[in-house]
Amino acid sequence: MKTQSLSLRESTIWHAFKESAQMVLTWLAHDVAEATDLSEADFDVLSQLMDPGARDLRQQALAQSLGWHKARLSHHLSRMESRDLVVRRPLSGRIVIVNITKHGRDAYTSARPVHAASIRRSLLGQLTKHDIDSVLSIYARLRALSRE
Amino acid sequence: MKTQSLSLRESTIWHAFKESAQMVLTWLAHDVAEATDLSEADFDVLSQLMDPGARDLRQQALAQSLGWHKARLSHHLSRMESRDLVVRRPLSGRIVIVNITKHGRDAYTSARPVHAASIRRSLLGQLTKHDIDSVLSIYARLRALSRE
DNA sequence: AAAGATTGATGCATCAATCTTC
DNA sequence: GAAGATTGATGCATCAATCTTT
């Protein structure tokens, strides 16, 4: 028989987990936005498109590798296209190809070091080897949970 | 001299950290929304208002304890008020008092066990004692970073 | 002017509905 | 009809601008 609400200890852990992620993500968004006008979502999309192994990506494949729903990607690409970061090119029939533009490439290239530095400072630099093991194994367990 | 982008190892850690939080939050939102029509933000607000030590909370104090900006809270309370979860009552002059309604109390009461169960299943149940130490100490270090 | 709060604009995430081509 | 994608609606977060009372 479980209690109805979290104990003090439990909610402390939950709060720590949740706030930790939120802090790092907020700092990252600020750092990157300050230097480059890209959101983290923009960065993730461009990052996929910069992968040399992924030339002429179909939109569905892109959504797949980002772990995004198709509608989210479609909306996001519309906004990115209007900012000249990306171009959509209809292929045969219902298939759409996504390409990064020169401006997108430049934006990504200047954002990348800022992105890396921010993550190193706010997260990676704070983790002991011990913590890293925990982070990786928590992730592995959650992935397993999601496949049940 | 640091490299410009994250190493494979570094981005694996970053990805694990980010996705772990996202998974847990997504599951929680689904579980709670399925059972009760409350978002996590709603739940957090109601949780503060249910605290017996916090009767007749001023809006500013509420924002403070939630760690929210005043505009966010104002918008959110407008939506919650239109759903009869909460009532705003002007006090003297420019001060506004926030109260939870009966409906808000009921919603919170039925959401709480679902919320607790979801967090236990998706997060707390996955953590070793080892992991818990890491989660708490990472949080402590990030908090310290944020005060620099 | 400053404190307490609201408003409007914009971008983002999610869901359901739709359109188009096979 | 089903796959690939778009659209519209809604709720949420953030920022800047505004309003009101002191």
Side-chain angles (χ1 to χ4, degrees), chain B residues 72-88:
Chain B
R72 176 179 176 186
L73 182 60
S74 184
H75 281 304
H76 205 91
L77 288 180
S78 296
R79 282 175 244 130
M80 290 182 76
E81 201 167 18
S82 74
R83 290 158 60 208
D84 189 33
L85 294 167
V86 127
V87 179
R88 274 189 280 205

Side-chain angles (χ1 to χ4, degrees), chain B:
Chain B
M1 178 67 183
K2 291 171 278 190
T3 46
Q4 283 205 332
S5 58
L6 298 179
S7 68
L8 183 58
R9 169 102 180 135
E10 286 175 316
S11 54
T12 298
I13 298 166
W14 164 239
H15 186 259
F17 179 83
K18 182 178 152 186
E19 295 302 311
S20 294
Q22 199 204 53
M23 278 191 259
V24 173
L25 287 169
T26 300
W27 294 336
L28 175 60
H30 272 117
D31 290 346
V32 174
E34 207 168 280
T36 70
D37 262 328
L38 292 181
S39 69
E40 241 239 297
D42 298 330
F43 187 85
D44 288 344
V45 170
L46 295 180
S47 167
Q48 294 292 329
L49 295 178
M50 288 291 281
D51 182 348
R55 291 284 303 159
D56 286 355
L57 218 50
R58 277 160 50 216
Q59 198 163 311
Q60 198 200 12
L62 182 55
Q64 187 75 17
S65 59
L66 286 164
W68 288 12
H69 289 292
K70 59 185 178 179
R72 176 179 176 186
L73 182 60
S74 184
H75 281 304
H76 205 91
L77 288 180
S78 296
R79 282 175 244 130
M80 290 182 76
E81 201 167 18
S82 74
R83 290 158 60 208
D84 189 33
L85 294 167
V86 127
V87 179
R88 274 189 280 205
R89 196 160 50 90
L91 191 59
S92 67
R94 61 189 190 275
I95 289 177
V96 173
I97 293 299
V98 185
N99 286 127
I100 189 169
T101 62
K102 165 153 179 37
H103 179 228
R105 225 180 293 274
D106 292 345
Y108 178 77
T109 301
S110 54
R112 195 171 46 181
V114 177
H115 190 261
S118 180
I119 290 172
R120 287 198 181 108
R121 182 181 59 75
S122 74
L123 180 68
L124 300 174
Q126 308 305 318
L127 301 178
T128 65
K129 289 184 193 297
H130 208 258
D131 295 334
I132 291 174
D133 290 344
S134 287
V135 167
L136 295 177
S137 70
I138 291 169
Y139 177 64
R141 268 175 254 134
L142 293 178
R143 289 278 300 166
L145 238 197
S146 76
R147 280 190 293 263
E148 271 175 14

Side-chain angles (χ1 to χ4, degrees), chain A residues 45 49 54-60 62 73 77 86-89 96-100:
Chain A
V45 170
L49 295 179
R55 291 284 304 159
D56 287 353
L57 219 50
R58 279 161 48 215
Q59 198 164 314
Q60 197 200 14
L62 182 54
L73 181 60
L77 288 179
V86 126
V87 179
R88 274 188 281 204
R89 196 160 50 90
V96 173
I97 293 299
V98 184
N99 286 127
I100 189 169

Side-chain angles (χ1 to χ4, degrees), chain A residues 9-148:
Chain A
R9 169 97 179 142
E10 285 175 316
S11 55
T12 299
I13 298 166
W14 163 239
H15 186 259
F17 179 83
K18 182 178 153 187
E19 296 302 310
S20 294
Q22 199 204 52
M23 278 191 257
V24 173
L25 287 169
T26 300
W27 295 336
L28 175 60
H30 271 118
D31 291 346
V32 174
E34 209 168 279
T36 70
D37 262 326
L38 292 181
S39 69
E40 241 239 300
D42 297 331
F43 188 84
D44 288 345
V45 170
L46 295 179
S47 167
Q48 294 292 328
L49 295 179
M50 288 290 281
D51 183 347
R55 291 284 304 159
D56 287 353
L57 219 50
R58 279 161 48 215
Q59 198 164 314
Q60 197 200 14
L62 182 54
Q64 187 74 17
S65 60
L66 286 164
W68 288 11
H69 290 292
K70 58 186 179 179
R72 176 179 175 187
L73 181 60
S74 184
H75 279 130
H76 205 91
L77 288 179
S78 295
R79 281 175 245 130
M80 292 183 76
E81 201 167 18
S82 75
R83 290 157 60 208
D84 189 33
L85 294 167
V86 126
V87 179
R88 274 188 281 204
R89 196 160 50 90
L91 189 60
S92 67
R94 61 186 192 276
I95 289 177
V96 173
I97 293 299
V98 184
N99 286 127
I100 189 169
T101 62
K102 167 156 177 36
H103 179 229
R105 225 180 294 276
D106 292 346
Y108 178 77
T109 301
S110 54
R112 194 171 46 181
V114 177
H115 190 262
S118 179
I119 291 172
R120 287 198 180 108
R121 182 181 57 74
S122 74
L123 179 68
L124 300 173
Q126 308 304 319
L127 300 179
T128 65
K129 288 182 195 299
H130 210 256
D131 295 334
I132 291 174
D133 291 344
S134 286
V135 168
L136 295 177
S137 70
I138 290 170
Y139 177 63
R141 267 174 254 135
L142 294 178
R143 289 278 300 167
L145 238 196
S146 76
R147 279 189 295 264
E148 271 176 15

